[in-house]
Structure formats: C-alpha cells, structure tokens
Amino acid sequence: MAELVIKNLHVSVDDKEILKGIDLTVASNERHALMGPNGNGKSTLLQAIMGNPKYIVTQGSISFDGQDVLSMEVDQRSKCGLFLGMQYPSEISGVTNSDFLRSAINARQEKPISLFKFIKQMDKAIQKLEMKPDLAHRFLNDGFSGGEKKRNEIVQMMMLKPKLAMLDEIDSGLDVDALRIVSDAIDEIQKETQMGLLIVSHYARFYEYLKPTHAHILIDGKIVVSSDASLIEKVDTQGYEWIENEYHVQVKKEEVSSPVSLGSCGAKKVA
Ligand code: ADP
Ligand code: MG
C-alpha cells in the first residue's frame, strides 16, 4: 500500500517560512480534502511534495511508499507515483500533448508503450473528459481555455495512473457540466487504481461529488483541524472565523503584490 507520510514539514519560499510544521498521512484509496483561506500555504505544500525547487524544505520529512521523497529529483517523484494537477498549468508550445504524455509514460517503464496502445488509451481519456478529439495533436495547453487546461490535467492523470494524485483547485474554471465530468473521471480512476487523493478546493459542490474520507484546514502554515467530510459543510456554511476563535490561530491575509491606492487612481483620472 502506497502511503504518503509527512512529518513536521517546514517550507520556506524566498527565505520566508510558509509551512510551519505539517503532519499529514494519506494512504491508498483515501480521499483527503485540504481547505483553508487563500495565501495560507496549500499550494506550497503540494509544490514541496512534488519537489518544485522554489520551495525549500528546512525541516521535517516526507516519505512515500517507504521511500525518502526529499532525496528524490522531481522526475523520480513522478516515476514513483506522485502526481500534481496544477492550479495554473503551464503552456508549452512546440510540444504536443501526445508527445508530452508518451515521453512521460515511457520514462516510467522499461519498454516503450506501443503506439497502438497509447492511442487507444489517449482516445479513451479524451472521450472520458469530453474534450475535442484534436487534443492529442495540439501543443500542450497552448491556447486552451481555463476549463480545458484543467480537464487536460485529468487526462494526464488518467494516462499516468499515479499512486497518489494531488489536485490543486482543479475545479476552478470549470462550469457545472465540466465539474461533473471531471469528478466522474477522478472517481473512476481512483476506483480502478486505488490511488490516494489529496484535493485542494474551496467548493463544497466539488467535494459533494468526490466524497472525501478526510478533511483538513490549513491556516498560517499549519493544519489546524482534521476531521471527516462534515468539516467541509461547516466551512461552507460558517467560513473560517470559528476556527480562528476556537483554535486561537490567525488567518494569514493574502498579500497584494502591488497595492494600488484609490487616491492615486483618482488623482490620475482627474489629471
Ligand atoms: P494557498 O495555496 O493556500 O492560497 P500558497 O501556498 O499559494 O497559498 O501561498 C502561501 C504563501 O506563500 C503566500 O504568502 C504566497 O505569496 C507565498 N508563495 C507561494 N508560492 C510562492 C512563489 N512561487 N513565490 C513567492 N511567494 C510564494
Ligand atoms: Mg493555492
């Protein structure tokens, strides 16, 4: 059984400590919802697990399937079965979706996948996600709508069959129908592969489809509350204020990178 075990994880970005001691265990077949106000470290946690070099682990440990994740390069982490569906998938022009996926699949196995088998699997994934058939031949995420990019992350997940999938706000940018399609696909893939799931989302509706087995609230770099899915409903109806009061923590307010004072805007307009 592939289990992700995180102990006392501290992570800094640009010399600023963002995660301040995370403990979290995600086993096969489990579905963990990770919630929390924006800017409090959810994406930082997923990026650190995946090995993005911008996110520096200063303390603590991450193991997966009994292996030390922190000593692995990003591609090794992917090969050992970790997958991150990103909040902001990058566009790579010049590389087609199918080339990208074939190399990713081939990097994980000794014998390259046969073209016939690959096309069959890719067609199945594209159909499952109800995407346009030309998807395979388009450059990776290039000119994709927000919703298409998110569905494409799930196409990749379906093809790569990870042991643990982390999905970062994969539901944002999806309309109601697309949300249903994406949730169904995630549900089906998990039933087929028994992968573990760590899902970041703000929306109770997405979680209603996915039915998490566990839920956690991350505030100011720490998991403050962990419970079952009833926590999601409580946050949906009551927000995060009760947690601040009950657990004596303070929500970190999202920083605005270049604050614009209304006064100067107004002044410009007048001038
Ligand atoms: P969440 O996903 O919960 O909204 P993030 O993990 O994205 O929060 O951000 C937590 C904090 O870390 C924020 O203050 C954010 O500005 C900072 N941070 C995250 N990623 C980066 C980055 N790549 N460069 C600079 N700061 C970052
Ligand atoms: Mg985020």
Side-chain angles (χ1 to χ4, degrees):
M1 181 159 99
E3 197 176 48
L4 177 78
V5 182
I6 300 172
K7 286 189 182 149
N8 190 33
L9 189 74
H10 290 247
V11 174
S12 294
V13 183
D14 295 342
D15 286 330
K16 202 167 120 203
E17 182 163 73
I18 306 295
L19 299 183
K20 305 171 179 176
I22 299 279
D23 292 291
L24 178 68
T25 299
V26 181
S28 304
N29 251 330
E30 292 180 349
R31 298 183 178 193
H32 290 247
L34 181 62
M35 303 178 84
N38 281 333
N40 280 254
K42 302 180 298 296
S43 296
T44 298
L45 175 60
L46 305 194
Q47 293 286 352
I49 297 169
M50 210 59 219
N52 182 330
K54 180 126 186 119
Y55 299 78
I56 311 287
V57 174
T58 55
Q59 248 192 86
S61 65
I62 306 177
S63 75
F64 183 61
D65 221 355
Q67 291 172 277
D68 175 22
V69 171
L70 293 178
S71 65
M72 296 179 195
E73 299 294 331
V74 182
D75 65 318
Q76 287 175 293
R77 297 184 196 203
S78 159
K79 279 178 211 166
C80 84
L82 294 169
F83 175 88
L84 174 59
M86 296 216 256
Q87 187 170 5
Y88 306 108
S90 20
E91 301 180 4
I92 307 177
S93 66
V95 178
T96 65
N97 238 328
S98 58
D99 283 347
F100 171 79
L101 269 168
R102 255 178 92 194
S103 351
I105 291 172
N106 285 340
R108 290 151 185 263
Q109 48 194 48
E110 271 174 30
K111 236 178 103 203
I113 184 169
S114 81
L115 193 57
F116 177 74
K117 197 170 163 196
F118 175 78
I119 292 172
K120 224 172 95 183
Q121 282 184 13
M122 184 122 195
D123 280 349
K124 191 178 155 204
I126 290 171
Q127 270 174 31
K128 181 75 198 162
L129 273 301
E130 297 187 25
M131 297 192 73
K132 293 186 197 124
D134 70 347
L135 177 92
H137 313 293
R138 286 168 66 185
F139 290 148
L140 189 59
N141 290 323
D142 193 18
F144 285 28
S145 72
E148 281 177 326
K149 282 184 189 169
K150 296 304 179 80
R151 286 193 213 200
N152 199 35
E153 294 291 286
I154 303 301
V155 167
Q156 290 173 16
M157 183 176 95
M158 205 166 161
M159 305 275 302
L160 294 175
K161 298 189 176 54
K163 292 183 190 154
L164 180 104
M166 302 178 279
L167 304 176
D168 198 354
E169 301 200 22
I170 207 81
D171 54 331
S172 70
L174 298 180
D175 59 37
V176 195
D177 293 333
L179 191 67
R180 181 47 138 175
I181 292 164
V182 163
S183 314
D184 275 356
I186 296 169
D187 184 65
E188 189 181 297
I189 300 163
Q190 194 198 35
K191 285 186 175 134
E192 195 184 302
T193 64
Q194 273 82 54
M195 66 180 174
L197 274 167
L198 180 54
I199 307 156
V200 173
S201 167
H202 290 295
Y203 299 107
R205 186 179 199 133
F206 187 44
Y207 289 132
E208 268 165 35
Y209 287 137
L210 286 175
K211 303 201 177 3
T213 53
H214 301 68
H216 314 273
I217 312 290
L218 199 161
I219 291 178
D220 192 16
K222 285 186 178 156
I223 289 178
V224 180
V225 201
S226 292
S227 178
D228 57 20
S230 62
L231 191 57
I232 297 165
E233 203 189 315
K234 196 162 176 192
V235 167
D236 193 46
T237 51
Q238 298 178 31
Y240 292 111
E241 214 176 83
W242 64 275
I243 301 176
E244 286 190 283
N245 299 333
E246 214 167 291
Y247 293 89
H248 309 292
V249 286
Q250 186 142 32
V251 167
K252 215 171 157 297
K253 296 281 177 275
E254 212 174 10
E255 287 164 24
V256 181
S257 48
S258 53
V260 180
S261 96
L262 267 180
S264 72
C265 270
K268 241 185 208 160
K269 222 174 178 181
V270 171

